[in-house]
Amino acid sequence: MDFYVAGLNNVSSDLVQKQLEASNLAVPTVNADSFQTIYNSAVSMITETNDLSDAAETEEINFALGYSNDTHSLQIAQEKANIALQYTIAVRDRFLEAYNTIMNMQM
């Protein structure tokens, strides 16, 4: 019940205001730094995914040219790149899902 009351901070009813004050829930505020933090995190995740993909590609080229015969490091590099890509895609999908949910909300 308290969760729903926290969103009603501009209601003039005394009962709702008292319940809001008693619930000890902070009304979320929008901070410009929070978007910048999320953006920087997303950019660093994409950069890291690209770096791991490049490392896997380098290992593949070295193995194909005969510079390396270590199949373990090749497989490890490929798996790291694959997992990073899957994680990045999962985060992107969640972000798009949240964006679409927000855009479909009725005011």
Side-chain angles (χ1 to χ4, degrees):
M1 179 70 178
D2 291 335
F3 177 76
Y4 297 110
V5 174
L8 302 174
N9 57 354
N10 292 328
V11 178
S12 61
S13 171
D14 292 333
L15 180 63
V16 172
Q17 288 297 329
K18 287 178 185 177
Q19 182 63 31
L20 178 62
E21 291 168 4
S23 68
N24 294 327
L25 291 176
V27 177
T29 59
V30 177
N31 188 355
D33 292 334
S34 63
F35 178 78
Q36 187 67 33
T37 303
I38 292 171
Y39 177 77
N40 290 338
S41 176
V43 169
S44 69
M45 182 178 16
I46 291 170
T47 303
E48 183 178 355
T49 301
N50 286 337
D51 292 343
L52 290 170
S53 178
D54 291 343
E57 186 176 342
T58 302
E59 285 289 330
E60 290 170 3
I61 291 171
N62 287 339
F63 185 76
L65 293 175
Y67 296 140
S68 172
N69 60 1
D70 186 14
T71 58
H72 296 293
S73 61
L74 173 62
Q75 187 175 7
I76 289 170
Q78 288 174 336
E79 281 299 312
K80 283 183 179 180
N82 187 26
I83 290 170
L85 182 61
Q86 287 177 355
Y87 182 72
T88 303
I89 290 171
V91 170
R92 181 209 57 186
D93 290 346
R94 291 290 184 160
F95 175 78
L96 289 176
E97 182 182 329
Y99 175 78
N100 286 332
T101 301
I102 290 170
M103 294 309 291
N104 290 330
M105 285 184 175
Q106 294 183 3
M107 299 264 185

